[in-house]
Amino acid sequence: MTKLLSIRLVAILVGLGFALIALYSFVLGAYAWMTEEPAGHLPYEEPRDIAFSFDGPFGKWDIQQLQRGFKVYDEVCAACHSLKFVAFRDLEQLGYDEGQVKAFAASKQVPGIDPNTGEATTRPGLPTDYFPDPYPNNVAAAAANNNAIPPDLSLMTKARGDGVNYVASLLSGYSEPTAELLAEHPEAAPGPGLYHNPYFPNLNLAMAPPLTTTGQVTYDDGTEATVEQMSTDVAAFLAWTAEPTMVQRKQTGWPVLIFLLFATVLAYLSKQQIWAAAKPKKD
């Protein structure tokens, strides 16, 4: 019995030792991550905190803003960036009727097959088609953009940290690097074909400022199309393309949460009722 207790005690001590080592390593690594700057780190800015109608648990889409953002994408961003996970018919969710969607789809050329020759060709789009890629392949995309392939924007706000704020901040954040920045970080100077943007992690990117002047897009609702407004609107539109069911998810979550709370209370009361007879009676 004494030998068995000794073995158990040793096992417990060994396990406790491993746990303490793991905890120490975790704390040490977390401290290093929070206090040390990685090699080559450049002082980029965190995205601005912008208020959107769909923020928070009770958020809702601002349909007019989504339509404005779609117009910015169509007239500016679509020249380089695709939306390969969005179909033309999805635009009905933004308040466009069937005729408008059909007309818009027909105005775009999508890949097709010639029924007579079997060769690849293009044809007017249908509502069931997806937004076409502006380039036939990555080689052509890189050749037209200083060897940088423009990313697809369908899920962009999900692919970046604080995605919606990041997109809006990036699009309106182009500027010239300050003298203080260049003095401290000479490597931050934009190279050939690069443009300075304090919200981009390495401060310089190949995409030229896409939104440059007020009135670059004419909004149907009369809103003044400033660079800030267009940036915010297209960021909201890309939030919708990345998660079009966001609002429905939030609206569904509350009834589910209330049901779970009710079920928990009901289960607790049932347990109390069932086990009441099993409790020992006091003398």
Side-chain angles (χ1 to χ4, degrees), residues 53-54 59-63 66 236 239-240 243-248:
S53 64
F54 47 84
K60 295 183 179 180
W61 297 121
D62 181 342
I63 297 300
L66 297 185
W240 171 79
E243 191 177 3
T245 59
M246 179 196 299
V247 170
Q248 293 91 321

Side-chain angles (χ1 to χ4, degrees), residues 61-199:
W61 297 121
D62 181 342
I63 297 300
Q64 284 192 323
Q65 183 179 50
L66 297 185
Q67 290 185 356
R68 294 195 302 267
F70 165 61
K71 190 162 190 178
V72 175
Y73 167 79
D74 182 48
E75 296 187 12
V76 180
C77 308
C80 299
H81 297 276
S82 59
L83 282 180
K84 64 182 180 181
F85 296 122
V86 182
F88 294 127
R89 62 184 175 185
D90 294 333
L91 295 176
E92 292 185 19
Q93 299 177 35
L94 303 188
Y96 297 106
D97 59 37
E98 184 178 355
Q100 290 174 309
V101 171
K102 285 183 177 180
F104 177 77
S107 70
K108 304 297 181 181
Q109 292 293 311
V110 301
I113 300 295
D114 190 321
N116 299 317
T117 63
E119 296 180 351
T121 184
T122 58
R123 59 171 176 78
L126 298 172
T128 52
D129 290 320
Y130 287 77
F131 279 73
D133 195 312
Y135 302 103
N137 50 58
N138 287 342
V139 175
N145 294 277
N146 195 28
N147 290 323
I149 301 174
D152 179 80
L153 297 182
S154 304
L155 305 176
M156 184 55 64
T157 59
K158 291 294 184 182
R160 299 290 185 269
D162 197 11
V164 184
N165 287 328
Y166 169 78
V167 170
S169 299
L170 182 79
L171 292 176
S172 60
Y174 285 88
S175 62
E176 293 297 325
T178 63
E180 293 79 4
L181 174 65
L182 295 179
E184 186 174 353
H185 298 277
E187 68 276 20
L194 297 179
Y195 303 86
H196 179 76
N197 193 306
Y199 297 102

Side-chain angles (χ1 to χ4, degrees), residues 76 171-172 174 208-217 225-228 230-231:
V76 180
L171 292 176
S172 60
Y174 285 88
L211 304 174
T212 56
T213 59
T214 297
Q216 188 172 343
V217 171
T226 63
V227 171
E228 180 70 27
M230 290 186 289
S231 302

